[in-house]
Amino acid sequence: HPVREKVWTTTDAMASLATVATCNLNQWAMDFKGNLERIKLSIREAKEKGCSFRTGPELEITGYGCEDYFHEHDTMLHSWESLVHILSDDITDGIICDIGMPVMHRNVLYNCRVVCLNRRILGIRPKFCLANDGNYREMRYFTPWYFNPESPGYGELQEHYLPSIVQDVTHQKKVPIGIFSLATLDTCLSFETCEELFTPRSPHILLSLDGIEIMANGSGSYHQLRKLNKRIDLLKGATAKAGGIYLYANQKGNDGGRVYYDGCAMVYVNGACVAQGSQFLGFDEVEVVVATVSLSDVRSFRANNIARSYQASAAPTIPRIDVDFRLCDGRGIDACPSPTFEPKVHSAMEEIAYGPSGWLWDYLRRSGMRGYFLPLSGGADSSSTATLVAIMCQRAVAELTSGTERSKKQTLGDIRKVTKRPDYVPSDWRDLCGKIFVTCYMASQYSGCETRERAELLASSIGAMHTSIFIDEITQAIKRTFASVEMHGPRAIPKEQLKSEPRMEGGTIGENLALQNIQARSRMVMAYFMAQLMPWATDGDQTTAGGSLLVLGSANVDEALRGYYTKYDCSAADINPIGGINKCDLKAFMVWAAEHKGIAVLQRVADAKPSAELTGAEGAQLDEEDMGMSYEELGDLGFCRKVEHCGPLSTFIKLRHRWADGRRISPSNRAMGAAAPQTRDEEIAQKVKDFYFYNAITRHKMTTLTPSYHAENYSPDDNRFDLRPFLQNPRFDLQFAAIDKAVKQLASCAKRSAPDMDGKGEPPIKRAASSKGAVKS
């Protein structure tokens, strides 16, 4: 290997500024042509801005979310074809390019960084810490790069024989593959990929001790509420202790799945941010983030940390590849590095506003559909969904005036493609909303005037094309069809003995639920019928192109956890932008949007108590009473179950302390009357039992859950995020018995420690008192 330390001259010291680039790219899984164009644009823009190094997102050639397409050999072939296009012209002349793509080495598939310069490949760096939790399934497709963990460093380099189509362009037969650094004439740089930053023994630690001054991380990190803070802490920590320059790249946008990659490419130097890209804002598919960094500052920072220097003096050597190239541009002593600043972090309400609305825009413009259709009930969930479509329209129209020239052209083209109007320019965001968004109030005999009025006001406020229908004729027709059912065969019941007229009032629970469910399911059928026909019904002289609308669902994450929705009702849709957001956050979002987005009626929606209006108008049927638990309780229960990985007993123990603030525990709808809990511990225990019972018996509903925007880390999405059997024993005999035993032990301990207040050796039961509206501190 080359000598680890170079001799620095006075000229080198003066010319220690390097201009480097990272980027956010809005890639689309398997869109090789579009992905290639965006990669090439980012490299050209980096070169135009004087950069000598460019890094890009993880698996940027294919798009990160290809999933089982990675199993296909064609995906590898087309990836190499894309790289050949990059290496065939002058795009990599004079700039080191770090490009993400899958590579098969010795019949093993790896998630790799391919590093190029001057139309040649310098080396291939495979990922060795794969993301395999949450929505990530990298080990389904890729293998971690292996090295002996007992040996120092990351092992020796191997030789990778290039495909013939690459050999013909680069005139290279083989290139190094493994964990390496590049030793240029003036510095040393290396790489890690996404998850490797998040691991306890991140590669950048050992690499920095070995003298690597610049680290690049190509990432595929998706948005989750309040997740950016963790990324920033990790980037700051990666350079604050050991010094150095760290470039972070990410995808940005919806690449075809449930997650939204939230960009925010950054550059950190010695623990401080010197460049940051947008997390959500802007519809430009290519955002290059540039910083001028000082290598002298890194060397001074490290040299003055004696403890770090002591560890570095004994650090193992990482294989280095010599590169006859300088990153520093030789600018004079009057040049200066990029200044430091505090990184921008959006509030949770801004995250809800801009993440799902960006996801909706990408889905719509790439789907080829005419717009969105939403059953708008006037309640919190559908109103939040409508608001996100409105914010999407606000952002699209704003992009036409405030975006880059490239983005203005792209966005106007997308608007015209969606609306099927080749010369259309929206006069404002409400005008656009009226072209691509249809809402419908689907009334029944149980609907109230208040929800109807709120739906009309909201639709009018955002410019949506609002409609209304009555579903009573549909539900009556279904009841008549049931009443005419005929039975056949030897076990047939005589017609006159067959029960055929279910009742909402005075009947059984089964009758009541069936009559509620046909209302909800009728709305789903009409939603899809109207979504297909409304463009045809409303198109005028400007377009006769037809097309269909995408149906939006509006079930929140808490109701999915509880199973409080009808299978194949209005929650059954094409996509759902709020399916990963809890009710408390949604209500806070509406209050925020009423103030910041000019939609005043949302405050009125937020103040109303949630109601399904399937058995009576708003107020006669309340969601929290139906569920037997509050939305705040559901949020805590879901967090314990998924994020903290608690079973019933552990959930009880945690919530006993978490709910020790005197809050009111909502009454159980399973343990009532003489069986109702009497003590505080019994109330909490029953709430935990109720939650796990209902979650188990309604788990089958998760298998049909509409694809939703992933926003919460306790999402119940059965597709990939929360994998559990959908036929469960809801009795949880052993688990619930353990809770009962714990409650008795706690009562016994309290009895022994409490003073004898009534002279009989037993203190009177004192239940925690609080107002109905008490919330967590």
Side-chain angles (χ1 to χ4, degrees):
H1 306 304
V3 178
R4 291 177 59 193
E5 298 295 335
K6 293 181 179 290
V7 177
W8 302 100
T9 67
T10 303
T11 303
D12 289 327
M14 292 176 63
S16 64
L17 295 180
T19 302
V20 294
T22 180
C23 59
N24 298 325
L25 298 184
N26 193 336
Q27 303 297 71
W28 190 8
M30 301 300 289
D31 178 23
F32 288 99
K33 182 179 178 181
N35 293 345
L36 174 62
E37 182 61 29
R38 286 181 283 271
I39 292 169
K40 293 172 74 172
L41 281 171
S42 70
I43 297 173
R44 292 194 187 281
E45 188 171 325
K47 289 180 69 174
E48 290 170 1
K49 294 182 177 181
C51 297
S52 54
F53 174 69
R54 174 266 185 202
T55 189
E58 186 174 9
L59 297 168
E60 57 188 311
I61 282 182
T62 58
Y64 183 84
C66 294
E67 299 181 329
D68 280 3
Y69 281 115
F70 284 125
H71 290 315
E72 299 175 2
H73 181 265
D74 286 6
T75 304
M76 308 306 111
L77 171 64
H78 299 318
S79 296
W80 283 114
E81 288 175 340
S82 296
L83 189 66
V84 165
H85 279 287
I86 294 172
L87 296 171
S88 295
D89 61 21
D90 63 354
I91 194 170
T92 62
D93 290 355
I95 183 169
I96 297 177
C97 295
D98 169 30
I99 299 168
M101 63 177 278
V103 173
M104 184 171 287
H105 175 65
R106 299 179 182 176
N107 294 338
V108 179
L109 186 60
Y110 296 102
N111 178 349
C112 293
R113 312 297 301 176
V114 180
V115 189
C116 309
L117 171 67
N118 295 334
R119 313 185 196 197
R120 292 172 63 85
I121 297 175
L122 301 178
I124 300 173
R125 199 287 201 184
K127 187 176 182 180
F128 65 85
C129 293
L130 299 185
N132 215 55
D133 55 0
N135 285 295
Y136 293 111
R137 293 290 181 273
E138 288 185 17
M139 292 187 75
R140 179 179 173 91
Y141 324 112
F142 303 108
T143 299
W145 182 257
Y146 178 79
F147 53 85
N148 188 346
E150 297 180 359
S151 302
Y154 296 112
E156 299 296 320
L157 297 182
Q158 299 178 16
E159 293 180 330
H160 178 75
Y161 286 83
L162 295 170
S164 58
I165 59 170
V166 182
Q167 294 180 30
D168 293 342
V169 172
T170 66
H171 307 294
Q172 297 169 282
K173 183 178 180 181
K174 56 188 178 181
V175 294
I177 184 171
I179 313 303
F180 60 84
S181 62
L182 298 181
T184 67
L185 298 175
D186 51 3
T187 188
C188 197
L189 64 152
S190 192
F191 316 90
E192 59 185 11
T193 307
C194 196
E195 181 74 3
E196 292 169 347
L197 171 65
F198 291 77
T199 56
R201 294 179 60 186
S202 296
H204 66 258
I205 299 171
L206 181 55
L207 293 169
S208 68
L209 291 174
D210 191 38
I212 282 76
E213 296 175 329
I214 300 175
M215 287 294 306
N217 185 321
S219 184
S221 185
Y222 59 77
H223 173 239
Q224 196 165 275
L225 289 176
R226 306 168 183 90
K227 179 182 175 183
L228 178 60
N229 305 69
K230 182 177 182 180
R231 265 188 248 152
I232 289 175
D233 288 344
L234 289 169
L235 291 173
K236 182 176 181 179
T239 57
K241 274 201 304 185
I245 298 159
Y246 201 106
L247 286 77
Y248 176 85
N250 197 13
Q251 279 193 200
K252 179 183 175 185
N254 174 6
D255 81 338
R258 290 163 168 78
V259 299
Y260 184 84
Y261 301 93
D262 59 336
C264 207
M266 290 177 279
V267 181
Y268 266 75
V269 178
N270 295 344
C273 184
V274 298
Q276 181 184 21
S278 66
Q279 185 180 8
F280 305 110
L281 301 181
F283 285 162
D284 198 341
E285 293 186 327
V286 177
E287 182 182 6
V288 177
V289 179
V290 174
T292 299
V293 295
S294 171
L295 300 175
S296 296
D297 287 348
V298 173
R299 293 161 191 160
S300 297
F301 184 97
R302 289 177 172 178
N304 282 279
N305 186 337
I306 302 304
R308 180 260 167 205
S309 297
Y310 178 75
Q311 291 183 344
S313 66
T317 300
I318 308 302
R320 297 195 178 192
I321 298 173
D322 275 336
V323 182
D324 188 16
F325 180 76
R326 291 184 182 275
L327 258 68
C328 297
D329 54 16
R331 282 184 284 180
I333 198 170
D334 60 329
C336 63
S338 300
T340 64
F341 59 88
E342 284 297 314
K344 163 70 175 177
V345 178
H346 288 287
S347 69
M349 297 304 102
E350 290 173 329
E351 290 186 75
I352 294 173
Y354 301 133
S357 63
W359 184 75
L360 285 171
W361 178 247
D362 280 345
Y363 198 100
L364 177 59
R365 68 191 183 91
R366 287 172 168 169
S367 69
M369 303 294 274
R370 282 289 301 272
Y372 287 117
F373 179 90
L374 174 68
L376 181 59
S377 69
D381 295 335
S382 62
S383 296
S384 296
T385 301
T387 302
L388 290 172
V389 176
I391 292 172
M392 177 195 80
C393 293
Q394 290 176 352
R395 295 177 63 186
V397 172
E399 196 75 14
L400 298 178
T401 56
S402 62
T404 64
E405 291 304 313
R406 176 177 58 228
S407 179
K408 290 177 184 177
K409 181 180 178 181
Q410 170 79 45
T411 303
L412 183 59
D414 288 335
I415 288 173
R416 290 172 172 174
K417 181 179 72 172
V418 169
T419 60
K420 308 295 185 185
R421 290 167 167 81
D423 301 315
Y424 173 61
V425 178
S427 58
D428 58 25
W429 67 269
R430 290 182 176 87
D431 178 42
L432 176 61
C433 198
K435 299 289 191 300
I436 64 174
F437 190 33
V438 178
T439 58
C440 183
Y441 184 80
M442 297 183 172
S444 76
Q445 61 180 308
Y446 301 109
S447 300
C449 296
E450 170 65 18
T451 52
R452 174 186 284 274
E453 184 178 337
R454 290 202 304 259
E456 291 176 356
L457 284 173
L458 177 56
S460 175
S461 297
I462 65 177
M465 184 182 295
H466 187 59
T467 62
S468 66
I469 61 171
F470 282 90
I471 63 169
D472 294 333
E473 290 187 17
I474 304 173
T475 57
Q476 290 301 321
I478 293 172
K479 290 169 65 178
R480 287 194 298 271
T481 302
F482 179 76
S484 65
V485 66
E486 297 285 347
M487 297 194 69
H488 307 281
R491 297 189 180 184
I493 299 174
K495 181 74 172 178
E496 60 274 10
Q497 296 180 17
L498 187 66
K499 298 175 184 176
S500 60
E501 295 184 1
R503 292 179 295 169
M504 182 75 78
E505 300 292 338
T508 64
I509 290 183
E511 294 171 71
N512 183 283
L513 288 176
L515 292 173
Q516 290 190 58
N517 287 340
I518 62 167
Q519 297 176 59
R521 291 185 177 122
S522 298
R523 289 180 171 124
M524 182 273 290
V525 172
M526 281 304 301
Y528 273 97
F529 188 70
M530 293 183 71
Q532 287 185 287
L533 289 182
M534 285 306 293
W536 164 79
T538 59
D539 277 349
D541 295 335
Q542 290 180 312
T543 179
T544 57
S548 298
L549 305 174
L550 291 160
V551 178
L552 291 177
S554 56
N556 64 68
V557 69
D558 296 323
E559 290 168 351
L561 274 170
R562 170 59 175 73
Y564 183 66
Y565 66 94
T566 300
K567 200 174 185 179
Y568 304 117
D569 69 345
C570 283
S571 65
D574 293 311
I575 55 174
N576 179 359
I578 68 163
I581 306 173
N582 69 49
K583 193 80 163 191
C584 294
D585 279 343
L586 284 175
K587 295 191 76 170
F589 164 67
M590 286 190 292
V591 173
W592 177 89
E595 178 181 354
H596 293 87
K597 296 300 176 181
I599 311 174
V601 68
L602 291 174
Q603 180 66 59
R604 184 170 159 185
V605 180
D607 291 339
K609 293 184 177 180
S611 171
E613 290 194 326
L614 294 173
T615 61
E618 189 174 58
Q621 180 186 19
L622 299 177
D623 289 358
E624 293 185 336
E625 290 181 2
D626 271 6
M627 293 190 296
M629 55 191 71
S630 70
Y631 283 106
E632 187 178 6
E633 290 166 350
L634 270 171
D636 288 342
L637 287 157
F639 188 86
C640 285
R641 168 187 167 276
K642 178 63 180 177
V643 182
E644 297 184 320
H645 311 292
C646 294
L649 177 61
S650 298
T651 299
F652 165 72
I653 293 170
K654 283 184 178 290
L655 292 184
R656 184 175 180 270
H657 296 285
R658 197 164 293 166
W659 290 352
D661 54 5
R663 74 182 69 195
R664 174 183 179 270
I665 305 297
S666 61
S668 169
N669 59 4
R670 293 179 62 236
M672 298 179 288
Q678 298 300 308
T679 68
R680 181 72 170 182
D681 284 337
E682 288 176 356
E683 285 183 318
I684 298 172
Q686 187 60 49
K687 189 63 58 185
V688 171
K689 293 177 184 178
D690 290 350
F691 172 74
Y692 278 91
F693 171 81
Y694 284 118
N695 182 262
I697 66 171
T698 61
R699 183 67 198 182
H700 63 96
K701 296 182 180 182
M702 298 300 99
T703 64
T704 64
L705 203 64
T706 295
S708 302
Y709 180 96
H710 176 83
E712 282 283 10
N713 55 2
Y714 64 82
S715 166
D717 184 354
D718 185 73
N719 179 269
R720 72 195 62 203
F721 189 75
D722 186 45
L723 307 180
R724 300 169 195 261
F726 56 85
L727 177 61
Q728 302 181 31
N729 182 348
R731 293 188 298 273
F732 292 97
D733 301 296
L734 190 63
Q735 298 94 320
F736 289 177
I739 294 177
D740 293 337
K741 183 178 179 181
V743 170
K744 290 179 180 178
Q745 289 176 340
L746 290 166
S748 177
C749 291
K751 182 178 179 180
R752 288 196 301 268
S753 61
D756 184 356
M757 298 177 65
D758 60 4
K760 299 179 181 179
E762 289 188 1
I765 295 175
K766 292 186 64 178
R767 298 182 64 185
S770 67
S771 66
K772 185 175 181 179
V775 296
K776 285 189 295 186
S777 60

